[in-house]
Amino acid sequence: MTNRAAPRQLPSPPINAPISTSTAPGSPEYGTTVQAAPPVPARPWILQPPTRFPAPLPPRPYVPIRLAGHAHYGTQGEPGILCTDFARQAVERLFDDSGKLDCGAIMRLMEDVNINTQLPVHHRENLMRTLAHMGQGGELATTLNSICAHPGVRLRGPAADLVRATLNLPPGQQLTAVHARKAAAMALLGNLRQGKVGSCFATSAAIVLHEDAPEVVARDLKTLLETNKLVFDRNGTKFDMPLNKRISTGDLDIEVLMRADGTCHGNASNNGNGGPSYRLHETPGMQAALTALGIPQPMMEQAVTTALRQMNLQGDITYRVSKRSILEHIARNHANPALPGNPLASALNAYAGREDVRLLRAWEYTLAGAAEIDRQAIHVDMFSAAALFGPDIPGRPDLGSLARHTGMLTRQLAADARFRSTPLQPLSTHLFNDIQAVMKNRFMLQYDADIKQGTLSSDGVSNRGGFVLYDRLPPNDPSKWVRIDNPKTFQQALAHAVSEAAWRTHAGMQNMPGNPQANQAALQEYVRHLGRHIHSDAFTEFTARNMNPNVAGQPGIDLQQCGNLPWKQARGADFRAVFRQYGGTSCFLSPALPSAGTIDQSESGQAPGMRRPPRAGDATLVEPVRIFV
């Protein structure tokens, strides 16, 4: 990817300039000129809505956004739901009938931002700034209008799933280019802050890009939606980072105090002292999940209460129940049988999509994967070298590498009359070269937001998320990749890699001397022998000892105490590795940067040293407010 220049600065319009807007909230007339909002003190980092927009299209009916209707939001985070609901409603007004950005609607949305004071102040400022960028009709608007514009480009795979989850569309909904543009615009208008998922090394970089360089983010979103990947650069080599749609659903495991009629009284962990009681089926997250299960609005209460009764909740007794267990029961017994795919996964995805803009989080987690680009090859080379060619363990003749066991089998086959004409040494060397190539191609470190760490990270907030090895087969569908997070999955993944390598070796045996049938039989013996060894506990122990020299000579070994293991989860990364993919930190940040490593979040959601100085061109609210309060 070529280096990206710093985001351009918008011109600062006069404070009291008139703007083209409606005569009153809710009015369908466009193009009338009214005086701008009351003047505010002239401060260089305050921006009013721009004075000129491209000529608006003919008037369309406009219904102002009012964030109301839910007196409470259950146990989901209320600020997150408010921001996501506003963005979802905004994109339904943002595009005209032809699927292009409507400049008149942008002006009306700016009014709505000022009216809906429930939104966090920092998010209202970001909304004004982003809407101002959209309204100027420059690169940002051009990129949004071009998403999936080519007739040959279609939404497919993880991108299609994310568009449905972002816009809260039912499963099987036929998707169009307008859906893709709405999802991208919703990501641009979303609120990006770190929660309980420990990805501050990526979140900090993503926040700066999201707020300071929306054109850059829009280009990334367009690429993700059209190709299901981003292309990064590693030391001059192009590196594909697949769209990461994994989410954290840990909040659904929190037990709530519940009665059989579906009334909740808060989390069980604080004895219900979390606010007023509420009906579970009325919360935004549960409504989205039930919609994904094909349950219509009038039937939602009945579906929840029926499931609770079938789970043996009775009368006015208060029980401790997790929302995940309720959704699992409904998906198993009450979901629409005609739903495609995995209904439960769709429901969990929809639930999380009411608190976060799913496409925005997916972009952030895809950037998180870029933070491990530098360590990717090192990690795979480390465990492949240990497993394939690790030295013998003194005093443990029962342990050995794959190369040692292959050498033992070669000597046995050489004594067999069937294989006297078979070039066993070149054959085994060819097989090992193919195994190494397959391992480098199949095994990949990926960021997974749903990993439960058990303890708080150094940021003091997050307890989920981390890097773990994945067996990426098939390579173009990350949803089917297998997570390698224990010795058993490691053994299975490596055995599959040996089988794939054997097919490659077999394809290259045509020019090998000897009897073709005998050569093939010898290759099968190698694969069977290696497979038996890989699935043994001795092989797992051998790999662990070679990757942890401090325990190599100990008589016993506790895998839980080993710091380096192929299936070991890793926290944290270097945020500078993310910025390096966008031309370096100097393109977006002030010079004061942390000197190294994993960083913690500040209260504003930025990393220490990442606060940029205010500048002209920042959109903000009518009232004078500080940036990043």
Side-chain angles (χ1 to χ4, degrees):
M1 180 179 293
T2 58
N3 289 345
R4 290 165 166 166
R8 59 183 175 82
Q9 297 185 2
L10 297 177
S12 180
I15 290 295
N16 295 321
I19 58 176
S20 176
T21 183
S22 63
T23 56
S27 172
E29 288 84 9
Y30 286 85
T32 56
T33 301
V34 298
Q35 188 66 19
V40 296
R43 296 159 69 181
W45 61 89
I46 297 294
L47 176 78
Q48 296 298 310
T51 58
R52 292 183 179 275
F53 280 94
L57 294 174
R60 295 188 304 127
Y62 185 92
V63 179
I65 297 176
R66 299 292 183 268
L67 293 178
H70 289 285
H72 47 75
Y73 290 87
T75 55
Q76 278 186 290
E78 182 176 344
I81 294 180
L82 286 171
C83 297
T84 303
D85 277 353
F86 185 91
R88 183 175 287 110
Q89 293 184 54
V91 298
E92 294 302 324
R93 296 157 170 79
L94 194 56
F95 292 86
D96 60 27
D97 296 334
S98 66
K100 304 292 185 180
L101 283 175
D102 185 341
C103 292
I106 292 174
M107 297 300 299
R108 305 289 288 276
L109 285 171
M110 286 182 166
E111 295 177 359
D112 291 342
V113 171
N114 279 306
I115 292 171
N116 288 279
T117 56
Q118 314 97 301
L119 294 170
V121 172
H122 75 269
H123 182 52
R124 294 167 67 199
E125 291 188 333
N126 295 337
L127 284 171
M128 294 290 282
R129 181 162 48 241
T130 303
L131 288 170
H133 275 264
M134 290 182 182
Q136 287 195 333
E139 180 184 354
L140 180 57
T142 301
T143 302
L144 285 174
N145 289 332
S146 68
I147 292 176
C148 295
H150 192 279
V153 176
R154 295 186 304 165
L155 287 169
R156 54 184 175 80
D161 296 337
L162 277 171
V163 169
R164 293 188 181 95
T166 300
L167 300 178
N168 196 24
L169 300 175
Q173 169 78 46
Q174 188 72 25
L175 298 178
T176 66
V178 179
H179 288 122
R181 295 167 193 171
K182 286 181 177 179
M186 188 172 167
L188 291 168
L189 298 178
N191 183 36
L192 184 59
R193 287 296 183 269
Q194 183 185 350
K196 294 182 180 179
V197 176
S199 59
C200 59
F201 55 90
T203 309
S204 55
I207 288 174
V208 175
L209 291 168
H210 188 251
E211 296 181 359
D212 283 11
E215 296 91 347
V216 172
V217 180
R219 290 199 297 267
D220 277 357
L221 295 173
K222 174 181 168 68
T223 303
L224 284 174
L225 290 171
E226 294 181 349
T227 67
N228 281 286
K229 65 181 180 181
L230 290 178
V231 180
F232 292 117
D233 182 87
R234 183 180 65 198
N235 300 326
T237 303
K238 298 301 180 183
F239 190 91
D240 288 351
M241 186 58 59
L243 173 58
N244 188 341
K245 71 170 189 175
R246 301 181 188 93
I247 58 172
S248 174
T249 58
D251 287 340
L252 287 165
D253 294 320
I254 299 174
E255 291 184 329
V256 295
L257 299 179
M258 178 101 44
R259 292 183 179 177
D261 62 355
T263 301
C264 295
H265 299 278
N267 292 344
S269 58
N270 60 7
N271 296 318
N273 297 322
S277 60
Y278 57 92
R279 302 301 298 277
L280 181 61
H281 73 278
E282 294 178 350
T283 58
M286 188 58 67
Q287 287 187 350
L290 294 175
T291 298
L293 292 174
I295 298 174
Q297 183 83 21
M299 302 296 293
M300 290 182 178
E301 180 178 8
Q302 179 181 345
V304 171
T305 55
T306 301
L308 292 175
R309 286 195 299 270
Q310 292 173 347
M311 294 170 65
N312 297 322
L313 273 68
Q314 300 174 0
D316 294 333
I317 303 174
T318 301
Y319 297 82
R320 301 165 65 102
V321 185
S322 72
K323 295 179 182 178
R324 184 188 297 272
S325 65
I326 298 173
L327 287 176
E328 288 175 347
H329 194 280
I330 295 176
R332 188 167 53 247
N333 300 297
H334 305 285
N336 187 338
L339 293 176
N342 186 338
L344 178 60
S346 299
L348 300 180
N349 214 15
Y351 183 93
R354 291 309 300 265
E355 186 170 348
D356 274 329
V357 179
R358 288 288 294 109
L359 181 58
L360 179 58
R361 283 296 181 195
W363 170 73
E364 175 200 345
Y365 295 154
T366 303
L367 294 192
E372 284 297 291
I373 284 180
D374 295 336
R375 289 201 300 175
Q376 164 70 27
I378 296 175
H379 184 75
V380 175
D381 287 345
M382 179 187 299
F383 81 77
S384 64
L388 298 182
F389 306 106
D392 292 342
I393 306 298
R396 294 298 303 273
D398 56 317
L399 304 181
S401 66
L402 294 185
R404 180 170 177 265
H405 279 262
T406 301
M408 295 169 55
L409 179 61
T410 299
R411 290 189 291 272
Q412 295 176 14
L413 297 179
D416 192 323
R418 295 176 300 164
F419 304 113
R420 288 178 180 174
S421 64
T422 300
L424 296 174
Q425 192 64 42
L427 178 61
S428 61
T429 301
H430 195 333
L431 175 61
F432 260 70
N433 289 337
D434 287 335
I435 291 174
Q436 292 182 80
V438 169
M439 290 176 68
K440 288 183 178 181
N441 184 58
R442 285 182 58 155
F443 297 153
M444 183 179 188
L445 281 174
Q446 278 277 284
Y447 186 78
D448 193 330
D450 205 28
I451 290 177
K452 298 176 178 61
Q453 298 288 1
T455 59
L456 286 178
S457 299
S458 58
D459 56 23
V461 177
S462 60
N463 59 3
R464 305 172 202 154
F467 287 91
V468 68
L469 200 66
Y470 270 84
D471 181 6
R472 50 177 194 163
L473 189 72
N476 297 324
D477 190 356
S479 64
K480 296 181 180 179
W481 294 359
V482 177
R483 189 163 74 185
I484 304 174
D485 55 2
N486 58 62
K488 183 63 66 177
T489 53
F490 171 66
Q491 293 171 347
Q492 292 173 348
L494 189 55
H496 292 161
V498 170
S499 297
E500 181 182 342
W503 282 105
R504 293 191 180 191
T505 304
H506 180 266
M509 288 172 55
Q510 287 80 0
N511 299 324
M512 189 171 290
N515 184 287
Q517 287 78 17
N519 294 348
Q520 182 174 341
L523 179 61
Q524 292 173 347
E525 288 293 329
Y526 280 118
V527 173
R528 279 195 293 267
H529 184 79
L530 292 178
R532 285 194 298 269
H533 180 54
I534 287 172
H535 284 289
S536 68
D537 293 337
F539 172 72
T540 302
E541 182 179 347
F542 174 82
T543 303
R545 287 180 180 274
N546 266 283
M547 292 186 68
N548 299 271
N550 57 313
V551 301
Q554 295 181 7
I557 181 173
D558 183 1
L559 295 180
Q560 299 298 326
Q561 303 302 320
C562 294
N564 294 319
L565 291 170
W567 56 89
K568 189 86 170 183
Q569 302 165 5
R571 291 182 180 180
D574 191 343
F575 74 96
R576 292 169 298 183
V578 180
F579 272 116
R580 192 159 55 246
Q581 310 304 325
Y582 294 88
T585 56
S586 60
C587 290
F588 302 99
L589 305 180
S590 56
L593 284 173
S595 58
T598 304
I599 55 177
D600 293 334
Q601 291 284 122
S602 66
E603 182 180 356
S604 67
Q606 290 184 302
M610 298 187 71
R611 182 172 299 178
R612 59 162 174 75
R615 63 168 185 256
D618 287 345
T620 188
L621 311 174
V622 170
E623 64 268 23
V625 291
R626 291 178 60 83
I627 292 181
F628 303 129
V629 296

